[in-house]
Amino acid sequence: MSFVKPKYSKKQINRAGEILISDSASVSERHFADEALTNFRAAHGYPINTFQATLRAKLKGIDEKAIVAQRLKRTPSIVLKLRRFEGMKLARMQDIGGLRAVVSSVSRVRKLENSYRDSKFLHELVSSKDYLADPKADGYRGIHLIYKYANPNVPDYDGLSLELQIRTRMQHAWATAVETMGTFLGQALKSGQGEDQWREFFSIAGAALADLEKTTPVPGFESCSAHQIHQRLRESEKRLRVLEKLSGFAIAADRITTERGQGGYHLITLDSTKRTVTIRPFPVARLEEANVAYAAIEARTKAGEPIEAVLVSAGPVESLRKAYPNYFLDTQVFVRQLQRLIDGHKLSAKS
């Protein structure tokens, strides 16, 4: 099994990050930055693979139907983060390599979280964020655990950071809807940017789901009753026609092309204009080739093509749509839950 090893120093990686957000870098500097980022990102493949095996083992006793996925962070997301946070250094970015577990309930989120906190890892838990106890104002909820990889048997990867996200299915559905709507609006709603009316809608939706799951209220909704939140949700949905928009987004099966071959990794490419998805499999032994292909597609995105790509591992191909529904413009779970919340409010208003 062949994995990419880091070949640039932290100083070089940080310099690459500076070049990526520079408006005056030379062609040779940009070439260096692209190569350094491609290698640095790909080097997270080995630590992620190790963590995914541990995650699946833990879930066997907690939620065997949980969705497990891993991904390497997209270049546009890396650049946006470098620009948004003053002083952010590429070598210190904690979510270049990410894993996600989607479980059925809040109680199972907590069980999995505690299983990690109680583990005697060599890997260091350097920080954590509890967005269930302290949700974001935009409505986002979930648990984030940040680890620094350490393994005396494979020291090449020591110090690389990984982020584990733990969510319920409802929280995952909300996040998927945010990303999908952001794709069509051309707005980075996930990063807190975009039109106020759309950000407000997802904040209200997050508040309604927090109430449904009996977790801490979303900031700004602490004194609101469930009835008041549902009323605001219904009014915002009606004004923006959210159900109508999201219901029409999902890509039909005949617009999804899956190339032949065995894949431990899959490169998913979404063309939101043509409404097509291409899935290209890569065996684990060809991870370096997969990262080169990933970088090539991102170069096309940077040049102006309306395409998005992500390199992921989520088990069999049929699991990809569940793990990364936003790349299939699939918001069916969120749409069904939103419809139930609105219908429930209508019924209570009549009684």
Side-chain angles (χ1 to χ4, degrees):
M1 193 174 290
S2 176
F3 287 96
V4 176
K5 293 183 178 180
K7 64 180 183 180
Y8 294 90
S9 67
K10 288 184 179 180
K11 184 176 180 180
Q12 288 175 310
I13 294 300
N14 286 333
R15 177 56 186 151
E18 293 169 0
I19 294 170
L20 287 169
I21 60 174
S22 171
D23 294 325
S24 58
S26 66
V27 173
S28 62
E29 285 178 321
R30 293 201 176 280
H31 180 71
F32 159 76
D34 289 341
E35 285 198 342
L37 175 59
T38 297
N39 172 260
F40 179 60
R41 181 171 62 181
H44 288 73
Y46 183 86
I48 291 177
N49 194 65
T50 302
F51 263 70
Q52 183 180 169
T54 301
L55 175 57
R56 290 186 183 278
K58 286 180 178 295
L59 283 168
K60 285 183 179 179
I62 296 172
D63 188 343
E64 292 190 347
K65 294 184 178 180
I67 298 169
V68 175
Q70 65 185 53
R71 65 97 182 99
L72 296 174
K73 196 173 183 72
R74 299 168 56 243
T75 294
S77 299
I78 292 171
V79 173
L80 180 60
K81 194 167 188 176
L82 288 170
R83 285 181 171 149
R84 283 179 63 212
F85 298 101
E86 187 176 351
M88 171 67 71
K89 299 295 184 182
L90 180 56
R92 294 206 306 266
M93 195 172 288
Q94 297 176 327
D95 61 345
I96 298 292
L99 299 98
R100 180 179 299 151
V102 182
V103 298
S104 60
S105 67
V106 172
S107 64
R108 288 179 173 176
V109 167
R110 291 301 187 193
K111 284 181 182 178
L112 183 57
E113 177 195 8
N114 291 335
S115 177
Y116 271 93
R117 290 188 182 277
D118 295 340
S119 292
K120 294 181 180 179
F121 270 171
L122 289 174
H123 317 297
E124 180 187 359
L125 179 61
V126 294
S127 67
S128 61
K129 296 175 182 177
D130 187 342
Y131 293 121
L132 293 183
D134 187 20
K136 290 186 177 183
D138 65 4
Y140 179 84
R141 294 176 303 127
I143 300 292
H144 292 193
L145 302 176
I146 309 295
Y147 283 92
K148 187 170 288 187
Y149 190 82
N151 186 341
N153 296 320
V154 195
D156 293 317
Y157 303 101
D158 285 357
L160 293 180
S161 294
L162 300 173
E163 180 184 69
L164 170 61
Q165 297 179 356
I166 311 174
R167 302 172 175 171
T168 66
R169 290 170 189 165
M170 282 191 194
Q171 292 154 19
H172 187 49
W174 177 93
T176 294
V178 170
E179 293 191 45
T180 301
M181 186 57 75
T183 294
F184 270 88
L185 295 174
Q187 301 173 22
L189 297 176
K190 178 183 177 181
S191 301
Q193 301 176 24
E195 296 176 18
D196 289 344
Q197 59 181 352
W198 281 104
R199 292 167 59 194
E200 180 187 29
F201 166 77
F202 282 111
S203 178
I204 300 169
L209 294 176
D211 176 74
L212 197 63
E213 292 189 311
K214 306 302 179 188
T215 60
T216 303
V218 168
F221 295 86
E222 295 90 345
S223 61
C224 294
S225 67
H227 178 81
Q228 290 171 324
I229 294 172
H230 292 177
Q231 175 67 26
R232 289 180 61 181
L233 182 66
R234 181 172 178 244
E235 291 171 353
S236 182
E237 188 284 324
K238 184 178 181 180
R239 182 170 62 254
L240 296 171
R241 306 198 328 272
V242 181
L243 285 168
E244 177 187 329
K245 288 183 170 69
L246 289 178
S247 296
F249 284 166
I251 293 174
D254 63 358
R255 304 290 285 173
I256 300 172
T257 302
T258 304
E259 296 183 15
R260 292 184 178 182
Q262 295 297 315
Y265 292 89
H266 295 86
L267 182 59
I268 306 175
T269 305
L270 164 68
D271 186 323
S272 57
T273 302
K274 296 179 180 178
R275 302 283 287 280
T276 60
V277 171
T278 301
I279 303 171
R280 184 180 176 187
F282 289 88
V284 173
R286 290 169 54 201
L287 179 56
E288 186 166 11
E289 181 184 339
N291 274 281
V292 171
Y294 188 12
I297 292 176
E298 289 187 323
R300 291 165 55 195
T301 302
K302 189 176 181 180
E305 287 190 50
I307 56 177
E308 297 180 40
V310 66
L311 181 62
V312 304
S313 175
V317 172
E318 58 266 24
S319 299
L320 293 175
R321 191 162 190 150
K322 292 181 180 178
Y324 291 94
N326 51 299
Y327 279 87
F328 298 84
L329 307 180
D330 185 356
T331 59
Q332 296 305 306
V333 175
F334 179 77
V335 165
R336 287 196 296 269
Q337 187 58 58
L338 179 60
Q339 188 69 69
R340 280 195 289 264
L341 288 168
I342 290 172
D343 289 345
H345 171 74
K346 289 177 181 177
L347 289 173
S348 63
K350 290 178 180 179
S351 60

